[in-house]
Each structure stands twice: as C-alpha cells, then as structure tokens.
Amino acid sequence: MNMKLQEIISRIRIVIDVLLSSHNKKVCDNKTVVIVFQQIFGDSILIQSFLEMYTKLYPKTEGYNLIFLARPSILRFMKETMPLPADIKYEELDFKKFLADYGYYKQIINSYKNKAGTIIIPGTSLSAEIFSCAVNSKRKIGLVRSMKLKSPFLRALISRLAYNEIVTPDKREMMFERHCKLLRYLGLKDCKSQLPELIKQPALIQGNYAVICPGSSKSEKCWPIEKFGKIADYLMDKYALDIHLCGESGEEHYSDDLKKHVRNQERIISHIGATSYPEWASIIQHASIVIGNDSASLHMAVAGRIPSVSIVGVYDKYQFFPYKVDVLEDGDILPVTVMEDLPCKWCRTLGYDAGFGNPECKKRIKQGKSALCLERISENRITEAIDGLLNAI
C-alpha cells in the first residue's frame, strides 16, 4: 500500500473515530487541565505572557495539574528563547502525524482519555479540535473563530462537535484581547495583557544592521520579493545598514530570490534555516529595525523591544496585527503595521483558507503568489514607516 493511500485510509478512520467519540457519555472530571496548543512559532510568542496567568488560575498548591501540549519544535523554541512558568508541565504532540497516522492518533487519544477533566484550546485548528472531540474531558473549552466556519463542511462539523463551552471573540479583537477574554471567562477577572518577553541573548553580529524576514508560514502571507528588494536597497543606501535575513527552515530560497532584486548582493547575509533558536533570537534582539511579513520574527522583534514594520494581509484582519495591549511599560515598542483593506477581508476566518470568496485571489494563491491584499501594498508605505521609526531613535 503506498503512503498516500495509507494516509487517506488513516484519515477516514480518524474521522469515524471522532464522530463516534463525540457520543461518548462517560466523562473525566478531575483537576488536570490540558492547554492544547497546536499553533506555531509566532503564536507561541503571543501566548507567552499569558502562561503565568494560567498558573494563577489553576494553582499547583490547590491540587491542579496544568499541562501545556504542543509540537516538539515549538516546545524547544519556547524553552530556549522565552521565560516559562515552572508550574506547568510541557508535553509533546506531533500534530501533523496525529492527523495522518491512525495508530499514532489512537496512541495519543488513549494516553489522554480519563486523564484531564478540562481541555482548553486557546486558538482553533483541525487537529486540536479532533483531539478535543476524541478525549472524554468533562469541560472542553475553545477560543473559537470570530465568525462560524462555513467551509469545508467536515471541518465546520468537527469545529461544532469539539467543545461544550466556547468563547467567541469579536472579529476586530487582536490575539492579546482574545487570550484575555478566554482567561476572564475561565475566572481570571483581572486579566490584563502585556507584551511577551524573550530571554536576553548575547550579540552575534557587531554594528548596526537591519533584519528582513521575507518568508512566512504560507506563500499567500509573503509580500512580493521584488518589493523587499527595493526596501533592502533603501535601507542600505539611506541608513548604511547591512541586511540580515531571518526565517525558518524551508524558506532558504528567499535569500537567492532577494539578491536578484538588489544592487549590492554582498551586503545581504542570510541566516534563514541556519541558526539555533537562541541565535535566531539574538539576531532579532540586536537589530536596528526588523521588517517583514506576519511571521515569528516580527513577533520576536516586539518581544525583544526592537522597532519593527509588519506587512500584513486582511485575511484574518486585526487578529495578529496591529498590536493591542492593556499594559505598556518603559521600553516597550509596538510594531508599525501596514495593510491594504479589501471588501473580501476575513476570508480565512470564514473559509478556513485565504482567498475564500475572491476567485482572483484564490487563483493567485494556488500559483504560490501573495494574496491580493498584500500585493497591493506599495513600497512607499514601508519606507515611510521605516523613516518614522529610525528618525525617532
């Protein structure tokens, strides 16, 4: 049996098991609380400042057992770059394998059945919702989408079966506001958001430099590379800054792509996919400015109190940028957010994937291009933002 067919059969078996499990009447009711965090690097930075609040809500001294369940790579990243509460137990789950391998799925579900009385999902995803459907916790609490998922049908159905308690944010609320809304619902009435923090890393690069982050988790979230080329030239010419590139493994091609669009290729130094997590954090923390797409590097810049310009689409408008925070302390620096509004905004919220409801945009995304709302952002808007930040220093 080939791997593709085996994966399809596994997924069918998983869906059948999920639908059957949703009718299970026997529930687990105890003081173990599992936070199911399926999300990736940038999201992990956004939740960092709230983890301590969960320990106040579910204190170990009162018998609570608090577990944070995340991908192995995300847990390594968090432990190596951010201060984390010691009263939380950090456990690994390979969410990709969880959706593709029925044997692994059953192993995980069996290990968490009768283990947790409460499951909290602070941001929806298919794999997290399948986990919630299949285990037998008494309370299944989800911070859900601001608008009900309409398509595809099966994912919309699973999202409705996953929870017996939901917290629905307003579509204009940023993730900090959403995390606070969830914590207030859980009982922490005085929850106030503040910026995340990084562990301070020693400098790896001497002198002044800019960081550009041309990649992101999906191609539709990436501003056109030729436009980044003009921004790189602008930073080198006007501010005499060399350009260091940051990003995750798999984004290495952006370095060669960018060099095709700049005048001084030798001043473009790529670290994409070539650093440890602390090294990545160091390069961001000691930059003069960080410019890029909605990506972990931009959230890291904010956590490191570095001036930054985020270039973002409106497929889930307001959810991640611009930043909205209750408490700002001395030295905190909010990112400057540049976006271009379109009538089809919130497309990813409604249809699971970006481009929903806009055939032209959907066609671009299938071709590996940026979403229309990103493509329409001009270079002049970015250079104006850069000038505003660097001239203020």
Side-chain angles (χ1 to χ4, degrees):
M1 187 184 300
N2 64 52
M3 291 299 293
K4 187 66 178 176
L5 179 58
Q6 189 174 7
E7 185 175 317
I8 291 170
I9 293 172
S10 273
R11 290 190 172 190
I12 292 170
R13 294 179 72 188
I14 289 169
V15 169
I16 293 170
D17 190 78
V18 163
L19 296 176
L20 293 173
S21 297
S22 64
H23 296 289
N24 185 8
K25 302 301 181 183
K26 183 182 177 182
V27 296
C28 175
D29 184 11
N30 60 23
K31 283 193 167 185
T32 293
V33 179
V34 178
I35 302 171
V36 185
F37 187 80
Q38 183 273 345
Q39 295 151 305
I40 52 178
F41 295 99
D43 306 281
S44 73
I45 298 169
L46 292 174
I47 202 173
Q48 182 269 339
S49 61
F50 295 95
L51 293 181
E52 190 68 41
M53 300 180 193
Y54 279 100
T55 66
K56 294 177 181 177
L57 191 60
Y58 303 109
K60 198 172 182 178
T61 54
E62 294 182 14
Y64 285 99
N65 178 30
L66 186 56
I67 298 170
F68 187 83
L69 185 62
R71 303 169 191 249
S73 59
I74 299 306
L75 288 182
R76 287 197 302 273
F77 171 74
M78 294 179 76
K79 289 175 180 179
E80 293 177 15
T81 64
M82 293 179 274
L84 300 177
D87 282 352
I88 297 178
K89 185 178 180 182
Y90 301 90
E91 296 184 353
E92 299 180 356
L93 195 163
D94 184 336
F95 285 98
K96 185 176 181 180
K97 187 177 179 182
F98 181 74
L99 286 184
D101 184 331
Y102 180 75
Y104 179 74
Y105 158 84
K106 286 300 291 184
Q107 174 190 333
I108 293 296
I109 294 304
N110 289 337
S111 67
Y112 283 92
K113 270 187 177 178
N114 302 310
K115 180 175 181 178
T118 301
I119 288 176
I120 300 169
I121 300 180
T124 59
S125 73
L126 179 61
S127 50
E129 289 174 341
I130 283 177
F131 180 96
S132 182
C133 284
V135 298
N136 63 335
S137 301
K138 182 177 181 179
R139 298 185 72 190
K140 300 179 180 185
I141 307 154
L143 178 63
V144 299
R145 293 166 179 263
S146 56
M147 293 178 277
K148 284 187 178 179
L149 186 65
K150 293 183 177 181
S151 175
F153 169 77
L154 187 58
R155 289 178 178 176
L157 174 63
I158 289 172
S159 71
R160 289 195 290 272
L161 295 174
Y163 312 109
N164 52 34
E165 299 176 53
I166 61 170
V167 176
T168 305
D170 183 87
K171 64 184 180 180
R172 293 174 178 80
E173 288 179 325
M174 190 254 173
M175 277 310 303
F176 290 153
E177 295 172 296
R178 296 177 186 217
H179 283 310
C180 270
K181 180 173 278 190
L182 174 59
L183 280 157
R184 289 179 190 128
Y185 171 84
L186 293 170
L188 195 67
K189 301 302 182 184
D190 61 347
C191 176
K192 290 185 178 180
S193 61
Q194 57 191 42
L195 293 184
E197 296 181 25
L198 295 180
I199 298 169
K200 191 68 175 177
Q201 306 291 342
L204 296 178
I205 301 165
Q206 302 305 312
N208 297 324
Y209 61 91
V211 169
I212 287 181
C213 313
S216 191
S217 56
K218 294 185 177 181
S219 60
E220 62 261 31
K221 297 170 66 176
C222 298
W223 199 46
I225 197 69
E226 63 273 15
K227 295 189 176 187
F228 272 120
K230 292 181 180 179
I231 299 305
D233 281 338
Y234 186 80
L235 289 164
M236 290 187 281
D237 293 345
K238 183 169 183 178
Y239 294 101
L241 295 172
D242 289 334
I243 308 298
H244 290 257
L245 307 182
C246 283
E248 300 171 34
S249 178
E251 299 175 358
E252 290 85 354
H253 65 92
Y254 286 112
S255 174
D256 291 335
D257 294 343
L258 182 64
K259 287 179 181 179
K260 295 173 185 175
H261 298 284
V262 299
R263 291 189 293 273
N264 298 295
Q265 295 185 7
E266 71 280 357
R267 295 179 66 186
I268 305 290
I269 303 99
S270 179
H271 308 277
I272 299 174
T275 62
S276 66
Y277 295 139
E279 288 169 342
W280 182 13
S282 170
I283 293 166
I284 296 291
Q285 284 179 342
H286 295 280
S288 297
I289 189 170
V290 177
I291 302 105
N293 306 305
D294 173 8
S295 64
S297 293
L298 267 294
H299 295 298
M300 202 181 296
V302 180
R305 282 37 176 190
I306 301 299
S308 60
V309 180
S310 57
I311 308 167
V312 301
V314 291
Y315 22 77
D316 39 23
K317 188 179 179 184
Y318 299 128
Q319 188 170 347
F320 300 105
F321 293 97
Y323 268 48
K324 297 176 186 176
V325 64
D326 294 320
V327 179
L328 283 175
E329 299 179 346
D330 289 345
D332 286 353
I333 304 174
L334 297 180
V336 175
T337 300
V338 182
M339 65 173 65
E340 185 74 23
D341 219 347
L342 285 177
C344 52
K345 54 186 175 289
W346 289 299
C347 58
R348 192 165 70 170
T349 306
L350 286 168
Y352 199 82
D353 292 313
F356 179 75
N358 188 325
E360 182 186 355
C361 190
K362 200 155 192 170
K363 182 179 177 181
R364 287 179 56 88
I365 291 169
K366 284 183 178 179
Q367 295 170 345
K369 297 179 181 179
S370 58
L372 272 176
C373 51
L374 264 181
E375 194 274 336
R376 294 185 181 183
I377 296 174
S378 70
E379 299 93 316
N380 287 343
R381 293 187 63 192
I382 309 307
T383 56
E384 288 172 4
I386 290 169
D387 291 341
L389 288 170
L390 293 182
N391 292 337
I393 296 175

